[in-house]
Amino acid sequence: MIRVDNLHLHFGGIRAVDGVTLEIEEGSITGLIGPNGAGKTTLFNVIAGVYPPSEGRVFLQGDDITGLKPHQLFHRGVLRTFQIAHEFSSLTVAENLTTVPAGQAGEALLNAWFRRGRVRAQEDEIRARAADVIHFLGLDEVAGERAGALSGGQKKLLELGRTMMAEPSIVFLDEVGAGVNRTLLRSIGDAILRLNRERGYTFCMIEHDIDFISRLCQPVIVMAEGKLLTQGSPDEVKADQRVIDSYLGRGRQRGPSRQ
C-alpha cells in the first residue's frame, strides 16, 4: 500500500528522519514504535504531506505521492489522526461525521437554489452513512451531543469515525490510545480490528502501549534517532536486545512527546 524509499527530513542540523525505507502492506495493521524523539510522528507528517521530505520518495500503490499536500492525499484515500483529537467541538457527533465527505452537492450555490432534490437525496445518504458509523463505533448514546463535551476516548472514536466517512485506502493513527481509559481503549482496539478484518482497512499506528500494539499489529516497526532500527512480529521485536536497550528498557511511560 505504502512504500517509503530512503526518506530524509532535516531541520537545520537535526536529522528527524534519517534514511528510512519501509513498506506497509495492504490489509495490514502495522505498528510503529520507538522512544520519544525517534522521528515517528515526523515520518507520519512527511507521508501525510505536512512536510516535504529533504530527500527520498513516498509511493501509494506504486504511484509517487511525494510532496502532495494533505488535502490532495485526502482525495487519494490517505488519512491520519492526531494524538490530540481535532474534532469540531461546537458540532454534534453526527454533524462532525456528515461534514467529511468531499464534493457535496449542497456546497455549490447553484445546486442549493436549483437542484434541491439532488442536494436533499445526497444529504440523506450521508446522514445514513453517519448513522451506520455511529452504530459501528458504539456512539449511539452521544450522537446528538456536542463533540467538545465527549471524553478523550470518545473523541478518539469520533476521529476514527471521521476517517470511515472518507472511505480511506490507509489510515495513519498517531497514539490513538493516549489519555484513554482501559475500557474505551479496548473498544477502540476492537473497532480497528473489525475495520481491518471486515472492511479491509489498512492501518499504520504509532503507540507507546506495547500490550495494545501486540494485540493489534503485525508487523511492528521500530525507530530510534530518526532511523529504522528493526521490524518483525511483536514477540520478535520485544525480544530484540537493540529494542530493549533503546526503548523498552527505559520503561513504558506514556505522555506527551516531541516526536
Side-chain angles (χ1 to χ4, degrees):
M1 179 66 72
I2 291 284
R3 179 164 61 88
V4 172
D5 185 14
N6 192 33
L7 206 65
H8 294 255
L9 181 64
H10 306 158
F11 297 106
I14 299 173
R15 296 178 177 270
V17 177
D18 191 9
V20 170
T21 296
L22 58 82
E23 293 184 353
I24 300 170
E25 295 294 334
E26 184 173 0
S28 70
I29 305 177
T30 298
L32 183 60
I33 68 172
N36 290 345
K40 305 182 296 298
T41 294
T42 305
L43 177 63
F44 267 25
N45 283 334
V46 176
I47 295 172
V50 177
Y51 303 131
S54 304
E55 185 181 337
R57 316 301 297 175
V58 181
F59 298 89
L60 171 67
Q61 296 179 313
D63 294 333
D64 192 339
I65 59 169
T66 311
L68 292 185
K69 301 297 185 184
H71 69 276
Q72 295 171 310
L73 292 171
F74 173 87
H75 293 288
R76 302 287 292 269
V78 179
L79 281 77
R80 66 158 299 176
T81 67
F82 296 86
Q83 182 177 349
I84 299 173
H86 285 57
E87 77 284 351
F88 296 115
S89 59
S90 63
L91 300 183
T92 68
V93 168
E95 288 168 343
N96 264 266
L97 297 179
T98 58
T99 62
V100 173
Q104 296 188 39
E107 295 173 353
L109 185 58
L110 288 178
N111 287 338
W113 282 349
F114 301 115
R115 296 173 180 150
R116 294 180 181 176
R118 176 186 172 191
V119 171
R120 192 177 303 113
Q122 187 182 53
E123 288 178 343
D124 288 344
E125 187 271 333
I126 291 172
R127 278 194 291 268
R129 283 173 55 196
D132 175 66
V133 169
I134 287 168
H135 183 69
F136 183 95
L137 297 174
L139 292 172
D140 303 81
E141 292 185 0
V142 295
E145 298 289 332
R146 292 184 184 273
L150 300 181
S151 70
Q154 289 170 329
K155 289 180 179 181
K156 294 294 180 73
L157 281 168
L158 174 58
E159 192 146 273
L160 185 59
R162 292 202 300 174
T163 70
M164 293 172 64
M165 292 295 293
E167 300 180 342
S169 299
I170 184 168
V171 181
F172 291 88
L173 302 172
D174 193 348
E175 294 203 47
V176 69
V180 178
N181 69 54
R182 303 307 298 183
T183 300
L184 272 174
L185 184 61
R186 175 161 289 278
S187 296
I188 292 169
D190 290 344
I192 291 168
L193 286 171
R194 286 186 61 200
L195 286 170
N196 174 253
R197 294 169 180 172
E198 298 175 14
R199 305 196 182 190
Y201 282 37
T202 301
F203 290 98
C204 182
M205 56 190 299
I206 295 170
E207 185 54 60
H208 284 293
D209 188 318
I210 298 299
D211 293 335
F212 190 58
I213 282 282
S214 298
R215 178 189 171 211
L216 299 181
C217 298
Q218 181 71 263
V220 176
I221 297 170
V222 187
M223 288 185 67
E225 298 180 347
K227 299 178 182 291
L228 182 66
L229 183 63
T230 188
Q231 67 179 63
S233 70
D235 288 341
E236 289 169 340
V237 164
K238 286 188 288 188
D240 191 308
Q241 190 60 47
R242 294 169 298 171
V243 180
I244 294 170
D245 292 341
S246 68
Y247 180 44
L248 298 181
R250 300 183 182 187
R252 300 178 186 178
Q253 239 178 345
R254 302 183 61 86
S257 66
R258 55 176 189 87
Q259 298 161 319

